[in-house]
CSV table of all heavy atoms in Angstrom, one decimal:
chain,number,residue,atom,x,y,z
C,66,ALA,N,118.0,21.5,137.2
C,66,ALA,CA,117.0,21.7,136.1
C,66,ALA,C,116.1,22.9,136.4
C,66,ALA,O,115.4,23.4,135.5
C,66,ALA,CB,116.2,20.5,135.9
C,67,GLU,N,116.1,23.4,137.6
C,67,GLU,CA,115.3,24.6,138.0
C,67,GLU,C,113.8,24.4,137.7
C,67,GLU,O,113.1,25.3,137.3
C,67,GLU,CB,115.8,25.9,137.3
C,67,GLU,CG,117.2,26.2,137.7
C,67,GLU,CD,117.7,27.5,137.1
C,67,GLU,OE1,117.0,28.1,136.3
C,67,GLU,OE2,118.8,27.9,137.5
C,68,VAL,N,113.3,23.2,138.0
C,68,VAL,CA,111.9,22.8,137.8
C,68,VAL,C,111.1,23.6,138.9
C,68,VAL,O,111.5,23.6,140.0
C,68,VAL,CB,111.7,21.3,137.9
C,68,VAL,CG1,110.2,21.0,137.7
C,68,VAL,CG2,112.6,20.6,136.9
C,69,LYS,N,110.0,24.2,138.4
C,69,LYS,CA,109.2,25.0,139.3
C,69,LYS,C,107.7,24.7,139.2
C,69,LYS,O,107.3,24.2,138.1
C,69,LYS,CB,109.5,26.5,139.1
C,69,LYS,CG,110.9,26.9,139.4
C,69,LYS,CD,111.1,28.4,139.2
C,69,LYS,CE,112.5,28.8,139.6
C,69,LYS,NZ,113.6,28.0,139.2
C,70,PRO,N,106.9,25.1,140.2
C,70,PRO,CA,105.5,24.9,140.1
C,70,PRO,C,104.9,25.6,138.8
C,70,PRO,O,105.3,26.7,138.5
C,70,PRO,CB,104.9,25.5,141.4
C,70,PRO,CG,106.1,25.4,142.3
C,70,PRO,CD,107.3,25.6,141.5
C,71,GLY,N,103.9,24.9,138.2
C,71,GLY,CA,103.3,25.5,137.0
C,71,GLY,C,104.0,25.3,135.7
C,71,GLY,O,103.4,25.7,134.7
C,72,GLN,N,105.2,24.8,135.7
C,72,GLN,CA,105.9,24.7,134.5
C,72,GLN,C,105.4,23.4,133.7
C,72,GLN,O,104.7,22.6,134.2
C,72,GLN,CB,107.4,24.5,134.7
C,72,GLN,CG,108.1,25.7,135.2
C,72,GLN,CD,109.6,25.5,135.3
C,72,GLN,OE1,110.1,24.5,135.7
C,72,GLN,NE2,110.3,26.6,135.0
C,73,LYS,N,105.8,23.4,132.4
C,73,LYS,CA,105.6,22.2,131.6
C,73,LYS,C,107.0,21.6,131.4
C,73,LYS,O,108.0,22.2,131.1
C,73,LYS,CB,105.0,22.7,130.2
C,73,LYS,CG,103.6,23.2,130.4
C,73,LYS,CD,103.1,23.7,129.0
C,73,LYS,CE,101.7,24.1,129.2
C,73,LYS,NZ,101.6,25.5,129.5
C,74,VAL,N,107.0,20.3,131.6
C,74,VAL,CA,108.3,19.5,131.5
C,74,VAL,C,108.1,18.4,130.4
C,74,VAL,O,107.0,17.8,130.4
C,74,VAL,CB,108.6,18.8,132.8
C,74,VAL,CG1,109.8,17.9,132.7
C,74,VAL,CG2,108.8,19.8,133.9
C,75,LEU,N,109.1,18.3,129.5
C,75,LEU,CA,109.1,17.3,128.5
C,75,LEU,C,110.1,16.3,128.9
C,75,LEU,O,111.3,16.6,129.1
C,75,LEU,CB,109.4,17.8,127.2
C,75,LEU,CG,109.5,16.8,126.0
C,75,LEU,CD1,108.2,16.2,125.8
C,75,LEU,CD2,110.1,17.5,124.8
C,76,GLU,N,109.7,15.0,129.1
C,76,GLU,CA,110.7,13.9,129.5
C,76,GLU,C,110.7,12.9,128.4
C,76,GLU,O,109.6,12.3,128.0
C,76,GLU,CB,110.2,13.3,130.8
C,76,GLU,CG,111.2,12.3,131.3
C,76,GLU,CD,110.8,11.7,132.6
C,76,GLU,OE1,109.6,11.8,133.0
C,76,GLU,OE2,111.7,11.2,133.3
C,77,LEU,N,111.9,12.6,127.9
C,77,LEU,CA,112.0,11.6,126.8
C,77,LEU,C,112.3,10.2,127.5
C,77,LEU,O,113.2,10.1,128.3
C,77,LEU,CB,113.1,12.0,125.9
C,77,LEU,CG,113.0,13.3,125.2
C,77,LEU,CD1,114.3,13.6,124.4
C,77,LEU,CD2,111.8,13.3,124.3
C,78,MET,N,111.5,9.2,127.1
C,78,MET,CA,111.6,7.9,127.5
C,78,MET,C,111.8,7.8,129.0
C,78,MET,O,112.9,7.6,129.6
C,78,MET,CB,112.8,7.2,126.8
C,78,MET,CG,112.5,7.1,125.3
C,78,MET,SD,113.8,6.2,124.4
C,78,MET,CE,113.7,4.6,125.1
C,79,PRO,N,110.7,8.0,129.8
C,79,PRO,CA,110.8,8.1,131.2
C,79,PRO,C,111.1,6.8,132.0
C,79,PRO,O,111.2,6.8,133.2
C,79,PRO,CB,109.4,8.6,131.6
C,79,PRO,CG,108.5,8.0,130.5
C,79,PRO,CD,109.4,8.1,129.3
C,80,GLY,N,111.3,5.7,131.3
C,80,GLY,CA,111.6,4.4,132.0
C,80,GLY,C,110.4,4.0,132.9
C,80,GLY,O,109.3,4.1,132.5
C,81,LYS,N,110.7,3.8,134.1
C,81,LYS,CA,109.7,3.4,135.1
C,81,LYS,C,109.1,4.6,135.8
C,81,LYS,O,108.3,4.4,136.7
C,81,LYS,CB,110.3,2.4,136.1
C,81,LYS,CG,110.7,1.1,135.5
C,81,LYS,CD,111.2,0.1,136.5
C,81,LYS,CE,111.5,-1.2,135.8
C,81,LYS,NZ,112.1,-2.2,136.8
C,82,GLY,N,109.5,5.8,135.4
C,82,GLY,CA,108.9,7.0,136.0
C,82,GLY,C,109.5,7.6,137.2
C,82,GLY,O,108.9,8.4,137.9
C,83,TYR,N,110.8,7.2,137.5
C,83,TYR,CA,111.4,7.7,138.7
C,83,TYR,C,111.5,9.2,138.8
C,83,TYR,O,111.0,9.8,139.7
C,83,TYR,CB,112.8,7.1,138.8
C,83,TYR,CG,113.7,7.6,139.9
C,83,TYR,CD1,113.6,7.0,141.2
C,83,TYR,CD2,114.5,8.7,139.8
C,83,TYR,CE1,114.4,7.5,142.3
C,83,TYR,CE2,115.3,9.2,140.8
C,83,TYR,CZ,115.2,8.6,142.0
C,83,TYR,OH,115.9,9.2,143.1
C,84,PHE,N,112.0,9.8,137.7
C,84,PHE,CA,112.1,11.3,137.7
C,84,PHE,C,110.7,11.9,137.4
C,84,PHE,O,110.4,13.0,137.8
C,84,PHE,CB,113.1,11.7,136.7
C,84,PHE,CG,114.5,11.6,137.2
C,84,PHE,CD1,115.3,10.5,136.7
C,84,PHE,CD2,115.1,12.4,138.1
C,84,PHE,CE1,116.6,10.4,137.2
C,84,PHE,CE2,116.4,12.3,138.6
C,84,PHE,CZ,117.1,11.2,138.1
C,85,THR,N,109.9,11.1,136.6
C,85,THR,CA,108.5,11.6,136.3
C,85,THR,C,107.7,12.0,137.5
C,85,THR,O,107.0,13.0,137.5
C,85,THR,CB,107.8,10.6,135.4
C,85,THR,OG1,108.6,10.1,134.4
C,85,THR,CG2,106.5,11.1,134.9
C,86,ARG,N,107.8,11.1,138.5
C,86,ARG,CA,107.0,11.3,139.7
C,86,ARG,C,107.5,12.6,140.4
C,86,ARG,O,106.6,13.3,141.0
C,86,ARG,CB,107.1,10.1,140.6
C,86,ARG,CG,106.4,8.9,140.1
C,86,ARG,CD,106.4,7.7,141.0
C,86,ARG,NE,107.7,7.0,141.0
C,86,ARG,CZ,108.0,6.1,140.1
C,86,ARG,NH1,107.2,5.9,139.1
C,86,ARG,NH2,109.2,5.5,140.2
C,87,VAL,N,108.8,12.8,140.4
C,87,VAL,CA,109.3,14.1,141.1
C,87,VAL,C,108.9,15.3,140.3
C,87,VAL,O,108.4,16.3,140.8
C,87,VAL,CB,110.8,14.0,141.3
C,87,VAL,CG1,111.3,15.2,142.0
C,87,VAL,CG2,111.2,12.8,142.1
C,88,PHE,N,109.1,15.2,139.0
C,88,PHE,CA,108.6,16.3,138.1
C,88,PHE,C,107.2,16.7,138.4
C,88,PHE,O,106.8,17.8,138.5
C,88,PHE,CB,108.8,16.0,136.6
C,88,PHE,CG,110.2,16.0,136.1
C,88,PHE,CD1,110.6,14.9,135.2
C,88,PHE,CD2,111.1,17.0,136.4
C,88,PHE,CE1,111.8,14.9,134.7
C,88,PHE,CE2,112.4,17.0,135.8
C,88,PHE,CZ,112.7,15.9,135.0
C,89,SER,N,106.3,15.6,138.4
C,89,SER,CA,104.9,15.8,138.6
C,89,SER,C,104.5,16.5,139.8
C,89,SER,O,103.7,17.4,139.9
C,89,SER,CB,104.2,14.4,138.5
C,89,SER,OG,102.8,14.5,138.8
C,90,THR,N,105.2,16.1,140.9
C,90,THR,CA,104.9,16.8,142.2
C,90,THR,C,105.4,18.2,142.3
C,90,THR,O,104.7,19.1,142.8
C,90,THR,CB,105.5,15.9,143.4
C,90,THR,OG1,105.0,14.6,143.3
C,90,THR,CG2,105.1,16.5,144.7
C,91,ILE,N,106.5,18.5,141.7
C,91,ILE,CA,107.1,19.8,141.7
C,91,ILE,C,106.2,20.8,140.9
C,91,ILE,O,105.8,21.8,141.3
C,91,ILE,CB,108.5,19.9,141.2
C,91,ILE,CG1,109.5,19.2,142.1
C,91,ILE,CG2,109.0,21.3,141.0
C,91,ILE,CD1,110.9,19.0,141.6
C,92,VAL,N,105.8,20.4,139.6
C,92,VAL,CA,105.1,21.3,138.8
C,92,VAL,C,103.6,21.4,139.3
C,92,VAL,O,103.0,22.4,139.0
C,92,VAL,CB,105.1,20.9,137.3
C,92,VAL,CG1,106.5,20.9,136.8
C,92,VAL,CG2,104.4,19.6,137.0
C,93,GLY,N,103.2,20.5,140.0
C,93,GLY,CA,101.8,20.5,140.7
C,93,GLY,C,100.7,20.5,139.7
C,93,GLY,O,100.9,20.3,138.5
C,94,PRO,N,99.5,20.8,140.2
C,94,PRO,CA,98.3,20.7,139.4
C,94,PRO,C,98.2,21.7,138.2
C,94,PRO,O,97.5,21.5,137.2
C,94,PRO,CB,97.1,20.9,140.4
C,94,PRO,CG,97.7,21.5,141.6
C,94,PRO,CD,99.2,21.1,141.6
C,95,GLU,N,98.9,22.8,138.3
C,95,GLU,CA,98.9,23.8,137.3
C,95,GLU,C,99.9,23.5,136.2
C,95,GLU,O,99.9,24.1,135.1
C,95,GLU,CB,99.2,25.2,137.9
C,95,GLU,CG,98.2,25.6,138.9
C,95,GLU,CD,96.7,25.7,138.4
C,95,GLU,OE1,96.5,26.2,137.3
C,95,GLU,OE2,95.8,25.2,139.1
C,96,GLY,N,100.8,22.6,136.5
C,96,GLY,CA,101.9,22.3,135.5
C,96,GLY,C,101.5,21.0,134.8
C,96,GLY,O,100.5,20.3,135.1
C,97,ARG,N,102.4,20.6,133.9
C,97,ARG,CA,102.2,19.3,133.1
C,97,ARG,C,103.6,18.7,132.9
C,97,ARG,O,104.6,19.3,132.8
C,97,ARG,CB,101.6,19.6,131.7
C,97,ARG,CG,100.2,20.1,131.7
C,97,ARG,CD,99.2,19.0,132.1
C,97,ARG,NE,97.9,19.5,132.2
C,97,ARG,CZ,97.3,19.9,133.4
C,97,ARG,NH1,98.0,19.9,134.5
C,97,ARG,NH2,96.1,20.4,133.4
C,98,VAL,N,103.5,17.3,132.9
C,98,VAL,CA,104.7,16.5,132.6
C,98,VAL,C,104.3,15.7,131.4
C,98,VAL,O,103.4,14.9,131.4
C,98,VAL,CB,105.2,15.6,133.7
C,98,VAL,CG1,106.4,14.8,133.3
C,98,VAL,CG2,105.5,16.4,135.0
C,99,TYR,N,105.0,16.0,130.2
C,99,TYR,CA,104.8,15.3,129.0
C,99,TYR,C,105.9,14.2,128.9
C,99,TYR,O,107.0,14.6,128.7
C,99,TYR,CB,104.7,16.2,127.8
C,99,TYR,CG,103.6,17.2,127.9
C,99,TYR,CD1,103.9,18.5,128.4
C,99,TYR,CD2,102.3,16.9,127.5
C,99,TYR,CE1,102.8,19.5,128.4
C,99,TYR,CE2,101.3,17.8,127.6
C,99,TYR,CZ,101.6,19.1,128.0
C,99,TYR,OH,100.6,20.0,128.1
Side-chain angles (χ1 to χ4, degrees):
E67 297 182 358
V68 181
K69 295 184 178 43
Q72 287 184 327
K73 293 178 178 86
V74 173
L75 176 66
E76 184 180 21
L77 302 174
M78 297 184 60
K81 293 182 180 178
Y83 174 86
F84 286 103
T85 311
R86 290 183 283 281
V87 180
F88 286 137
S89 174
T90 304
I91 293 173
V92 300
E95 301 300 316
R97 294 286 175 267
V98 178
Y99 297 98

